[in-house]
Amino acid sequence: MSEQSLASPVRNRSSALGWILGSLFLYAFSPSVTIFLSRRGLNAFEMFFLYSLGSVIFLAMANPIIGRGGRTNKTRGSLSKTVLLGLFGYTLYYCLYLVAMTRTSTGGVPMVMMANYLWPLFTFILIALWVEHRAVRVLEWTGLVISAVGVYFSRASGFSLDQLGSLQWPLIALAGAIVWGWFSAATQKWKIEGISPILIYNLVAVVVSGIWMLVQGFGHLIEDPTTTAIAIVAGMLFNALATCFYFAGLERRPTAGQLAVFNLTPVLALMVMALWQKVPMGWPVWVGAVLIITGIMLARMGRLAIVKKSTMS
């Protein structure tokens, strides 16, 4: 792939940023909703089943409407690859993430979030190496790593490892981040785009979590219909809609700086948790925000150098 083909038009880059900011806003609420539902008694697989069910309902209604635009209703790639991505990408990621978030101690939630939100780093690296077949430039590496370090600081103040309960939960969340990076890169590699594949991902998730629910029982969902309804609506907004925005941005080939904007998610998510779930915040959050923004700017500078060079050649 030539450098010229890697240079996205300005309009596409601006459009990508808009979709990224939309998904960023929605992703910022997702951890608080997960903790809220966990405190109301839902376990990880109950939550995932209801999230996926809400997503399927939303996407089934949205697909015919948005599909009139022409592009988003087309599934590029074979059905088998889409199902594979749904099983070993989308479903596996959410299983790892929700298990880690719901089983760690209250004090360990920020560390789990920190590990999980390294997925923008893995996504960009895999897209550059696997999809675009190019080396990651020094400024891009530097910016992305600084942003990732900023994610570490974007945690609740006063946190220590003895609050974690078990180190396995952040490691499980980190595995989820790697899975999401592969999943995102694979959709671009195989050109699987639009709403229809996202609907298939969630259908696979409903089947997997539904089988688990059949084994474990649906008792709690029937006992507390209010919590069930909240989880279904949360799936519509913070899974289905957020995922649609995310891939709409990704399909426009965002720059390194734009992709690094996702590293702001834990900062915003912790702010939401501080207001809603009363999670304390201190100076590390603001240090993290400065590092993340600095990393974004450096990554963007690295990408702009590539674009400038390609336009001159």
Side-chain angles (χ1 to χ4, degrees), residues 219-286:
H220 183 78
L221 305 186
I222 300 173
E223 293 171 1
D224 191 353
T226 301
T227 301
T228 298
I230 292 173
I232 290 175
V233 173
M236 292 179 176
L237 294 176
F238 306 117
N239 278 46
L241 187 58
T243 303
C244 287
F245 283 2
Y246 170 72
F247 280 109
L250 207 62
E251 288 160 13
R252 285 158 177 79
R253 301 297 187 268
T255 64
Q258 289 174 334
L259 197 58
V261 168
F262 278 116
N263 285 327
L264 286 171
T265 306
V267 178
L268 299 179
L270 280 173
M271 289 181 179
V272 173
M273 292 186 75
L275 295 173
W276 185 6
Q277 301 298 326
K278 308 303 181 184
V279 174
M281 290 196 304
W283 63 267
V285 173
W286 308 113

Short mmCIF file of all heavy atoms in Angstrom, two decimals, residues 219-286:
data_model
loop_
_atom_site.label_atom_id
_atom_site.label_comp_id
_atom_site.label_asym_id
_atom_site.label_seq_id
_atom_site.Cartn_x
_atom_site.Cartn_y
_atom_site.Cartn_z
N GLY A 219 -33.79 -16.82 36.55
CA GLY A 219 -34.60 -16.43 37.71
C GLY A 219 -34.53 -14.96 38.04
O GLY A 219 -35.55 -14.29 38.23
N HIS A 220 -33.33 -14.41 38.14
CA HIS A 220 -33.18 -13.02 38.59
C HIS A 220 -33.78 -12.04 37.60
O HIS A 220 -34.34 -11.00 38.00
CB HIS A 220 -31.70 -12.69 38.80
CG HIS A 220 -31.49 -11.30 39.34
ND1 HIS A 220 -31.69 -10.98 40.66
CD2 HIS A 220 -31.13 -10.15 38.72
CE1 HIS A 220 -31.45 -9.69 40.84
NE2 HIS A 220 -31.11 -9.17 39.68
N LEU A 221 -33.70 -12.35 36.30
CA LEU A 221 -34.25 -11.45 35.30
C LEU A 221 -35.76 -11.34 35.42
O LEU A 221 -36.35 -10.28 35.19
CB LEU A 221 -33.86 -11.92 33.89
CG LEU A 221 -32.37 -12.11 33.62
CD1 LEU A 221 -32.15 -12.43 32.16
CD2 LEU A 221 -31.58 -10.87 34.02
N ILE A 222 -36.39 -12.45 35.80
CA ILE A 222 -37.85 -12.46 35.97
C ILE A 222 -38.24 -11.77 37.28
O ILE A 222 -39.25 -11.07 37.35
CB ILE A 222 -38.39 -13.90 35.94
CG1 ILE A 222 -38.04 -14.55 34.58
CG2 ILE A 222 -39.89 -13.94 36.17
CD1 ILE A 222 -38.37 -16.02 34.51
N GLU A 223 -37.43 -11.94 38.31
CA GLU A 223 -37.73 -11.36 39.62
C GLU A 223 -37.64 -9.84 39.62
O GLU A 223 -38.35 -9.18 40.37
CB GLU A 223 -36.76 -11.92 40.67
CG GLU A 223 -36.94 -13.40 40.93
CD GLU A 223 -35.83 -13.95 41.81
OE1 GLU A 223 -34.94 -13.16 42.21
OE2 GLU A 223 -35.84 -15.17 42.09
N ASP A 224 -36.77 -9.26 38.83
CA ASP A 224 -36.56 -7.82 38.84
C ASP A 224 -36.69 -7.26 37.42
O ASP A 224 -35.69 -6.97 36.76
CB ASP A 224 -35.18 -7.49 39.41
CG ASP A 224 -35.01 -6.00 39.70
OD1 ASP A 224 -35.91 -5.22 39.34
OD2 ASP A 224 -33.98 -5.62 40.29
N PRO A 225 -37.93 -7.11 36.92
CA PRO A 225 -38.12 -6.63 35.54
C PRO A 225 -37.62 -5.22 35.31
O PRO A 225 -37.25 -4.87 34.19
CB PRO A 225 -39.65 -6.73 35.35
CG PRO A 225 -40.22 -6.72 36.73
CD PRO A 225 -39.20 -7.40 37.60
N THR A 226 -37.59 -4.37 36.35
CA THR A 226 -37.10 -3.00 36.18
C THR A 226 -35.63 -2.99 35.81
O THR A 226 -35.20 -2.30 34.87
CB THR A 226 -37.31 -2.18 37.47
OG1 THR A 226 -38.70 -2.16 37.79
CG2 THR A 226 -36.81 -0.75 37.28
N THR A 227 -34.84 -3.78 36.55
CA THR A 227 -33.42 -3.88 36.23
C THR A 227 -33.21 -4.46 34.85
O THR A 227 -32.33 -4.03 34.09
CB THR A 227 -32.70 -4.74 37.28
OG1 THR A 227 -32.87 -4.15 38.57
CG2 THR A 227 -31.21 -4.87 36.98
N THR A 228 -34.03 -5.44 34.49
CA THR A 228 -33.94 -6.05 33.17
C THR A 228 -34.19 -5.02 32.08
O THR A 228 -33.46 -4.95 31.09
CB THR A 228 -34.97 -7.20 33.05
OG1 THR A 228 -34.66 -8.21 34.00
CG2 THR A 228 -34.96 -7.79 31.65
N ALA A 229 -35.21 -4.19 32.26
CA ALA A 229 -35.54 -3.17 31.27
C ALA A 229 -34.42 -2.14 31.15
O ALA A 229 -34.07 -1.71 30.04
CB ALA A 229 -36.85 -2.48 31.65
N ILE A 230 -33.84 -1.74 32.29
CA ILE A 230 -32.73 -0.77 32.26
C ILE A 230 -31.56 -1.34 31.48
O ILE A 230 -30.92 -0.64 30.68
CB ILE A 230 -32.31 -0.41 33.70
CG1 ILE A 230 -33.42 0.37 34.40
CG2 ILE A 230 -31.01 0.41 33.68
CD1 ILE A 230 -33.14 0.61 35.88
N ALA A 231 -31.24 -2.61 31.70
CA ALA A 231 -30.11 -3.23 31.01
C ALA A 231 -30.36 -3.33 29.51
O ALA A 231 -29.43 -3.13 28.70
CB ALA A 231 -29.86 -4.63 31.59
N ILE A 232 -31.59 -3.61 29.10
CA ILE A 232 -31.91 -3.69 27.67
C ILE A 232 -31.74 -2.32 27.01
O ILE A 232 -31.15 -2.20 25.93
CB ILE A 232 -33.35 -4.23 27.47
CG1 ILE A 232 -33.40 -5.71 27.86
CG2 ILE A 232 -33.79 -4.05 26.03
CD1 ILE A 232 -34.78 -6.31 27.81
N VAL A 233 -32.25 -1.27 27.66
CA VAL A 233 -32.10 0.08 27.12
C VAL A 233 -30.62 0.48 27.09
O VAL A 233 -30.15 1.10 26.13
CB VAL A 233 -32.92 1.09 27.96
CG1 VAL A 233 -32.63 2.52 27.50
CG2 VAL A 233 -34.41 0.80 27.84
N ALA A 234 -29.88 0.11 28.14
CA ALA A 234 -28.44 0.40 28.17
C ALA A 234 -27.73 -0.29 27.00
O ALA A 234 -26.81 0.29 26.40
CB ALA A 234 -27.84 -0.07 29.49
N GLY A 235 -28.15 -1.51 26.68
CA GLY A 235 -27.56 -2.20 25.53
C GLY A 235 -27.82 -1.47 24.23
O GLY A 235 -26.95 -1.40 23.35
N MET A 236 -29.02 -0.90 24.10
CA MET A 236 -29.36 -0.15 22.89
C MET A 236 -28.46 1.08 22.73
O MET A 236 -27.95 1.36 21.64
CB MET A 236 -30.83 0.31 22.95
CG MET A 236 -31.84 -0.80 22.87
SD MET A 236 -33.54 -0.15 22.99
CE MET A 236 -34.49 -1.65 22.72
N LEU A 237 -28.25 1.80 23.84
CA LEU A 237 -27.52 3.07 23.76
C LEU A 237 -26.01 2.89 23.84
O LEU A 237 -25.27 3.42 23.00
CB LEU A 237 -27.98 3.99 24.90
CG LEU A 237 -29.43 4.48 24.84
CD1 LEU A 237 -29.75 5.31 26.08
CD2 LEU A 237 -29.68 5.29 23.58
N PHE A 238 -25.56 2.17 24.86
CA PHE A 238 -24.14 2.15 25.18
C PHE A 238 -23.39 0.97 24.57
O PHE A 238 -22.16 0.90 24.68
CB PHE A 238 -23.95 2.18 26.70
CG PHE A 238 -24.67 3.34 27.34
CD1 PHE A 238 -25.69 3.12 28.25
CD2 PHE A 238 -24.34 4.64 27.01
CE1 PHE A 238 -26.37 4.19 28.83
CE2 PHE A 238 -25.00 5.71 27.58
CZ PHE A 238 -26.03 5.49 28.50
N ASN A 239 -24.11 0.04 23.96
CA ASN A 239 -23.46 -1.03 23.19
C ASN A 239 -23.72 -0.84 21.70
O ASN A 239 -22.79 -0.61 20.92
CB ASN A 239 -23.94 -2.40 23.65
CG ASN A 239 -23.23 -2.89 24.88
OD1 ASN A 239 -23.07 -2.14 25.83
ND2 ASN A 239 -22.82 -4.14 24.90
N ALA A 240 -25.00 -0.94 21.30
CA ALA A 240 -25.33 -0.90 19.88
C ALA A 240 -24.99 0.44 19.24
O ALA A 240 -24.25 0.50 18.25
CB ALA A 240 -26.81 -1.22 19.69
N LEU A 241 -25.53 1.53 19.79
CA LEU A 241 -25.31 2.84 19.19
C LEU A 241 -23.83 3.25 19.27
O LEU A 241 -23.27 3.76 18.30
CB LEU A 241 -26.18 3.89 19.89
CG LEU A 241 -26.20 5.28 19.26
CD1 LEU A 241 -26.67 5.22 17.82
CD2 LEU A 241 -27.08 6.23 20.08
N ALA A 242 -23.21 2.98 20.43
CA ALA A 242 -21.79 3.33 20.58
C ALA A 242 -20.93 2.54 19.60
O ALA A 242 -19.98 3.09 19.02
CB ALA A 242 -21.35 3.06 22.02
N THR A 243 -21.24 1.27 19.40
CA THR A 243 -20.47 0.43 18.47
C THR A 243 -20.66 0.91 17.04
O THR A 243 -19.70 0.93 16.24
CB THR A 243 -20.87 -1.04 18.60
OG1 THR A 243 -20.69 -1.47 19.96
CG2 THR A 243 -20.03 -1.92 17.69
N CYS A 244 -21.88 1.31 16.68
CA CYS A 244 -22.13 1.84 15.34
C CYS A 244 -21.30 3.10 15.09
O CYS A 244 -20.68 3.25 14.03
CB CYS A 244 -23.61 2.15 15.17
SG CYS A 244 -24.68 0.71 15.00
N PHE A 245 -21.27 4.01 16.07
CA PHE A 245 -20.48 5.22 15.94
C PHE A 245 -18.99 4.88 15.83
O PHE A 245 -18.26 5.48 15.03
CB PHE A 245 -20.70 6.13 17.15
CG PHE A 245 -22.00 6.88 17.13
CD1 PHE A 245 -22.92 6.70 16.11
CD2 PHE A 245 -22.32 7.77 18.14
CE1 PHE A 245 -24.12 7.39 16.08
CE2 PHE A 245 -23.51 8.49 18.12
CZ PHE A 245 -24.42 8.29 17.09
N TYR A 246 -18.55 3.91 16.64
CA TYR A 246 -17.14 3.54 16.66
C TYR A 246 -16.68 3.04 15.30
O TYR A 246 -15.66 3.50 14.76
CB TYR A 246 -16.91 2.46 17.72
CG TYR A 246 -15.55 1.82 17.68
CD1 TYR A 246 -14.42 2.52 18.08
CD2 TYR A 246 -15.38 0.51 17.22
CE1 TYR A 246 -13.16 1.94 18.05
CE2 TYR A 246 -14.14 -0.08 17.19
CZ TYR A 246 -13.03 0.63 17.60
OH TYR A 246 -11.79 0.05 17.56
N PHE A 247 -17.43 2.12 14.71
CA PHE A 247 -17.01 1.56 13.44
C PHE A 247 -17.23 2.54 12.29
O PHE A 247 -16.50 2.49 11.29
CB PHE A 247 -17.72 0.23 13.17
CG PHE A 247 -17.10 -0.92 13.88
CD1 PHE A 247 -17.74 -1.53 14.95
CD2 PHE A 247 -15.85 -1.38 13.53
CE1 PHE A 247 -17.15 -2.58 15.63
CE2 PHE A 247 -15.24 -2.43 14.20
CZ PHE A 247 -15.90 -3.04 15.26
N ALA A 248 -18.20 3.43 12.41
CA ALA A 248 -18.36 4.48 11.40
C ALA A 248 -17.11 5.35 11.34
O ALA A 248 -16.66 5.75 10.27
CB ALA A 248 -19.59 5.33 11.70
N GLY A 249 -16.53 5.64 12.52
CA GLY A 249 -15.29 6.40 12.56
C GLY A 249 -14.11 5.58 12.06
O GLY A 249 -13.28 6.08 11.29
N LEU A 250 -14.05 4.32 12.45
CA LEU A 250 -12.93 3.47 12.09
C LEU A 250 -12.89 3.22 10.58
O LEU A 250 -11.81 3.15 9.98
CB LEU A 250 -13.01 2.14 12.84
CG LEU A 250 -11.71 1.41 13.12
CD1 LEU A 250 -10.81 2.25 14.00
CD2 LEU A 250 -11.99 0.06 13.79
N GLU A 251 -14.06 3.10 9.96
CA GLU A 251 -14.12 2.83 8.53
C GLU A 251 -13.64 4.01 7.68
O GLU A 251 -13.37 3.85 6.49
CB GLU A 251 -15.56 2.45 8.14
CG GLU A 251 -15.96 1.06 8.64
CD GLU A 251 -17.47 0.87 8.70
OE1 GLU A 251 -18.19 1.72 8.12
OE2 GLU A 251 -17.93 -0.11 9.32
N ARG A 252 -13.53 5.17 8.30
CA ARG A 252 -13.03 6.35 7.60
C ARG A 252 -11.53 6.54 7.78
O ARG A 252 -11.00 7.61 7.51
CB ARG A 252 -13.80 7.59 8.06
CG ARG A 252 -15.22 7.62 7.46
CD ARG A 252 -16.17 8.47 8.26
NE ARG A 252 -17.48 8.53 7.61
CZ ARG A 252 -18.40 7.56 7.69
NH1 ARG A 252 -18.17 6.47 8.39
NH2 ARG A 252 -19.56 7.69 7.06
N ARG A 253 -10.86 5.50 8.25
CA ARG A 253 -9.41 5.46 8.39
C ARG A 253 -8.89 6.65 9.21
O ARG A 253 -8.21 7.54 8.68
CB ARG A 253 -8.72 5.44 7.02
CG ARG A 253 -9.10 4.25 6.15
CD ARG A 253 -8.69 2.93 6.77
NE ARG A 253 -8.90 1.83 5.85
CZ ARG A 253 -10.01 1.09 5.79
NH1 ARG A 253 -11.01 1.36 6.61
NH2 ARG A 253 -10.10 0.09 4.95
N PRO A 254 -9.22 6.70 10.50
CA PRO A 254 -8.77 7.83 11.32
C PRO A 254 -7.26 7.88 11.44
O PRO A 254 -6.57 6.87 11.31
CB PRO A 254 -9.43 7.56 12.68
CG PRO A 254 -9.62 6.07 12.71
CD PRO A 254 -9.94 5.69 11.29
N THR A 255 -6.74 9.07 11.73
CA THR A 255 -5.31 9.24 11.95
C THR A 255 -4.95 8.70 13.33
O THR A 255 -5.82 8.38 14.15
CB THR A 255 -4.93 10.72 11.88
OG1 THR A 255 -5.57 11.41 12.97
CG2 THR A 255 -5.37 11.35 10.58
N ALA A 256 -3.66 8.61 13.58
CA ALA A 256 -3.21 8.14 14.89
C ALA A 256 -3.71 9.05 16.00
O ALA A 256 -4.13 8.61 17.06
CB ALA A 256 -1.68 8.08 14.92
N GLY A 257 -3.67 10.37 15.74
CA GLY A 257 -4.15 11.32 16.74
C GLY A 257 -5.62 11.16 17.02
O GLY A 257 -6.06 11.22 18.17
N GLN A 258 -6.42 10.95 15.97
CA GLN A 258 -7.85 10.76 16.16
C GLN A 258 -8.14 9.48 16.93
O GLN A 258 -8.99 9.46 17.82
CB GLN A 258 -8.55 10.75 14.80
CG GLN A 258 -8.60 12.10 14.12
CD GLN A 258 -9.16 12.03 12.71
OE1 GLN A 258 -9.07 10.98 12.05
NE2 GLN A 258 -9.73 13.12 12.24
N LEU A 259 -7.43 8.41 16.58
CA LEU A 259 -7.65 7.16 17.29
C LEU A 259 -7.21 7.27 18.75
O LEU A 259 -7.84 6.67 19.64
CB LEU A 259 -6.86 6.03 16.59
CG LEU A 259 -7.28 4.60 16.93
CD1 LEU A 259 -8.75 4.37 16.61
CD2 LEU A 259 -6.43 3.61 16.17
N ALA A 260 -6.16 8.05 19.00
CA ALA A 260 -5.70 8.23 20.37
C ALA A 260 -6.69 9.02 21.22
O ALA A 260 -6.63 8.98 22.45
CB ALA A 260 -4.34 8.93 20.39
N VAL A 261 -7.64 9.73 20.58
CA VAL A 261 -8.68 10.44 21.33
C VAL A 261 -9.46 9.47 22.22
O VAL A 261 -9.94 9.85 23.29
CB VAL A 261 -9.62 11.19 20.35
CG1 VAL A 261 -10.87 11.69 21.06
CG2 VAL A 261 -8.89 12.36 19.72
N PHE A 262 -9.55 8.22 21.80
CA PHE A 262 -10.26 7.23 22.61
C PHE A 262 -9.61 7.04 23.98
O PHE A 262 -10.25 6.56 24.91
CB PHE A 262 -10.33 5.88 21.89
CG PHE A 262 -11.43 5.79 20.86
CD1 PHE A 262 -11.14 5.64 19.52
CD2 PHE A 262 -12.75 5.86 21.25
CE1 PHE A 262 -12.16 5.56 18.58
CE2 PHE A 262 -13.77 5.78 20.32
CZ PHE A 262 -13.48 5.63 18.98
N ASN A 263 -8.34 7.40 24.10
CA ASN A 263 -7.67 7.28 25.40
C ASN A 263 -8.24 8.25 26.43
O ASN A 263 -7.96 8.13 27.63
CB ASN A 263 -6.17 7.51 25.25
CG ASN A 263 -5.47 6.32 24.64
OD1 ASN A 263 -5.85 5.19 24.85
ND2 ASN A 263 -4.43 6.58 23.85
N LEU A 264 -9.05 9.22 25.99
CA LEU A 264 -9.73 10.10 26.92
C LEU A 264 -10.92 9.43 27.59
O LEU A 264 -11.47 9.96 28.56
CB LEU A 264 -10.21 11.37 26.21
CG LEU A 264 -9.13 12.39 25.83
CD1 LEU A 264 -9.73 13.47 24.93
CD2 LEU A 264 -8.53 13.01 27.08
N THR A 265 -11.33 8.27 27.09
CA THR A 265 -12.51 7.59 27.62
C THR A 265 -12.42 7.33 29.12
O THR A 265 -13.39 7.60 29.85
CB THR A 265 -12.76 6.27 26.87
OG1 THR A 265 -12.81 6.52 25.47
CG2 THR A 265 -14.06 5.63 27.31
N PRO A 266 -11.30 6.79 29.65
CA PRO A 266 -11.28 6.54 31.09
C PRO A 266 -11.38 7.81 31.93
O PRO A 266 -11.93 7.79 33.03
CB PRO A 266 -9.95 5.83 31.32
CG PRO A 266 -9.11 6.17 30.14
CD PRO A 266 -10.07 6.30 29.01
N VAL A 267 -10.83 8.94 31.42
CA VAL A 267 -10.95 10.20 32.14
C VAL A 267 -12.42 10.60 32.26
O VAL A 267 -12.92 10.91 33.34
CB VAL A 267 -10.14 11.31 31.45
CG1 VAL A 267 -10.30 12.63 32.19
CG2 VAL A 267 -8.67 10.93 31.36
N LEU A 268 -13.11 10.59 31.11
CA LEU A 268 -14.53 10.94 31.12
C LEU A 268 -15.35 9.93 31.91
O LEU A 268 -16.28 10.30 32.63
CB LEU A 268 -15.04 11.03 29.68
CG LEU A 268 -14.39 12.07 28.78
CD1 LEU A 268 -14.98 12.03 27.39
CD2 LEU A 268 -14.55 13.46 29.38
N ALA A 269 -15.00 8.64 31.77
CA ALA A 269 -15.75 7.60 32.48
C ALA A 269 -15.61 7.75 33.99
O ALA A 269 -16.58 7.57 34.74
CB ALA A 269 -15.26 6.22 32.05
N LEU A 270 -14.40 8.09 34.46
CA LEU A 270 -14.22 8.29 35.89
C LEU A 270 -14.94 9.54 36.39
O LEU A 270 -15.42 9.58 37.52
CB LEU A 270 -12.73 8.37 36.23
CG LEU A 270 -12.01 7.01 36.31
CD1 LEU A 270 -10.52 7.21 36.47
CD2 LEU A 270 -12.56 6.18 37.46
N MET A 271 -15.03 10.56 35.55
CA MET A 271 -15.79 11.75 35.92
C MET A 271 -17.27 11.39 36.10
O MET A 271 -17.92 11.83 37.07
CB MET A 271 -15.64 12.83 34.86
CG MET A 271 -14.27 13.48 34.83
SD MET A 271 -14.18 14.78 33.55
CE MET A 271 -12.50 15.35 33.80
N VAL A 272 -17.79 10.60 35.16
CA VAL A 272 -19.19 10.16 35.27
C VAL A 272 -19.38 9.31 36.52
O VAL A 272 -20.36 9.47 37.27
CB VAL A 272 -19.61 9.38 34.01
CG1 VAL A 272 -21.01 8.78 34.19
CG2 VAL A 272 -19.59 10.28 32.79
N MET A 273 -18.42 8.40 36.79
CA MET A 273 -18.52 7.55 37.97
C MET A 273 -18.43 8.36 39.26
O MET A 273 -19.09 8.04 40.25
CB MET A 273 -17.44 6.47 37.94
CG MET A 273 -17.61 5.45 36.84
SD MET A 273 -16.42 4.08 36.94
CE MET A 273 -17.10 3.15 38.31
N ALA A 274 -17.61 9.42 39.25
CA ALA A 274 -17.50 10.27 40.44
C ALA A 274 -18.81 10.96 40.74
O ALA A 274 -19.21 11.10 41.91
CB ALA A 274 -16.39 11.30 40.23
N LEU A 275 -19.52 11.40 39.70
CA LEU A 275 -20.78 12.09 39.89
C LEU A 275 -21.93 11.14 40.20
O LEU A 275 -22.81 11.45 41.01
CB LEU A 275 -21.12 12.91 38.63
CG LEU A 275 -20.16 14.06 38.31
CD1 LEU A 275 -20.51 14.67 36.95
CD2 LEU A 275 -20.21 15.12 39.40
N TRP A 276 -21.91 9.96 39.56
CA TRP A 276 -23.04 9.04 39.67
C TRP A 276 -22.80 7.98 40.74
O TRP A 276 -23.63 7.76 41.62
CB TRP A 276 -23.29 8.39 38.30
CG TRP A 276 -24.48 7.50 38.22
CD1 TRP A 276 -25.42 7.30 39.19
CD2 TRP A 276 -24.86 6.69 37.12
NE1 TRP A 276 -26.38 6.41 38.76
CE2 TRP A 276 -26.06 6.02 37.49
CE3 TRP A 276 -24.33 6.44 35.86
CZ2 TRP A 276 -26.71 5.14 36.65
CZ3 TRP A 276 -24.98 5.57 35.02
CH2 TRP A 276 -26.15 4.93 35.40
N GLN A 277 -21.63 7.33 40.67
CA GLN A 277 -21.35 6.23 41.59
C GLN A 277 -20.48 6.66 42.78
O GLN A 277 -20.06 5.83 43.57
CB GLN A 277 -20.64 5.09 40.83
CG GLN A 277 -21.43 4.53 39.66
CD GLN A 277 -22.75 3.91 40.09
OE1 GLN A 277 -22.84 3.32 41.16
NE2 GLN A 277 -23.77 4.03 39.24
N LYS A 278 -20.19 7.95 42.88
CA LYS A 278 -19.45 8.52 44.00
C LYS A 278 -18.04 7.94 44.14
O LYS A 278 -17.54 7.70 45.24
CB LYS A 278 -20.22 8.31 45.32
CG LYS A 278 -21.66 8.77 45.29
CD LYS A 278 -21.78 10.24 44.91
CE LYS A 278 -23.24 10.68 44.89
NZ LYS A 278 -23.40 12.08 44.43
N VAL A 279 -17.38 7.69 43.00
CA VAL A 279 -15.99 7.25 43.02
C VAL A 279 -15.10 8.47 43.20
O VAL A 279 -15.18 9.43 42.42
CB VAL A 279 -15.62 6.52 41.71
CG1 VAL A 279 -14.13 6.18 41.68
CG2 VAL A 279 -16.45 5.25 41.57
N PRO A 280 -14.22 8.49 44.22
CA PRO A 280 -13.39 9.68 44.46
C PRO A 280 -12.33 9.86 43.38
O PRO A 280 -11.79 8.89 42.85
CB PRO A 280 -12.75 9.40 45.82
CG PRO A 280 -12.72 7.90 45.91
CD PRO A 280 -13.97 7.42 45.20
N MET A 281 -12.05 11.11 43.05
CA MET A 281 -10.99 11.43 42.09
C MET A 281 -10.03 12.42 42.72
O MET A 281 -10.39 13.21 43.59
CB MET A 281 -11.57 12.05 40.82
CG MET A 281 -12.36 11.10 39.95
SD MET A 281 -12.59 11.79 38.28
CE MET A 281 -13.37 13.34 38.65
N GLY A 282 -8.79 12.38 42.26
CA GLY A 282 -7.78 13.30 42.76
C GLY A 282 -6.85 13.74 41.65
O GLY A 282 -7.17 13.61 40.47
N TRP A 283 -5.67 14.21 42.01
CA TRP A 283 -4.73 14.75 41.04
C TRP A 283 -4.28 13.76 39.97
O TRP A 283 -3.98 14.18 38.84
CB TRP A 283 -3.50 15.33 41.74
CG TRP A 283 -2.69 14.31 42.52
CD1 TRP A 283 -2.80 14.00 43.82
CD2 TRP A 283 -1.64 13.49 41.99
NE1 TRP A 283 -1.90 13.03 44.18
CE2 TRP A 283 -1.17 12.70 43.06
CE3 TRP A 283 -1.05 13.36 40.74
CZ2 TRP A 283 -0.15 11.78 42.91
CZ3 TRP A 283 -0.03 12.43 40.58
CH2 TRP A 283 0.42 11.65 41.67
N PRO A 284 -4.20 12.42 40.23
CA PRO A 284 -3.76 11.52 39.15
C PRO A 284 -4.64 11.59 37.91
O PRO A 284 -4.15 11.42 36.79
CB PRO A 284 -3.83 10.13 39.80
CG PRO A 284 -3.69 10.38 41.25
CD PRO A 284 -4.40 11.67 41.50
N VAL A 285 -5.94 11.84 38.08
CA VAL A 285 -6.83 11.92 36.93
C VAL A 285 -6.42 13.07 36.02
O VAL A 285 -6.39 12.94 34.79
CB VAL A 285 -8.29 12.10 37.40
CG1 VAL A 285 -9.20 12.35 36.20
CG2 VAL A 285 -8.75 10.86 38.16
N TRP A 286 -6.07 14.20 36.60
CA TRP A 286 -5.73 15.37 35.80
C TRP A 286 -4.34 15.23 35.18
O TRP A 286 -4.11 15.70 34.06
CB TRP A 286 -5.82 16.63 36.66
CG TRP A 286 -7.16 16.70 37.35
CD1 TRP A 286 -7.41 16.61 38.68
CD2 TRP A 286 -8.44 16.79 36.72
NE1 TRP A 286 -8.75 16.65 38.93
CE2 TRP A 286 -9.42 16.77 37.74
CE3 TRP A 286 -8.86 16.90 35.39
CZ2 TRP A 286 -10.78 16.85 37.48
CZ3 TRP A 286 -10.22 16.98 35.12
CH2 TRP A 286 -11.16 16.95 36.16
#
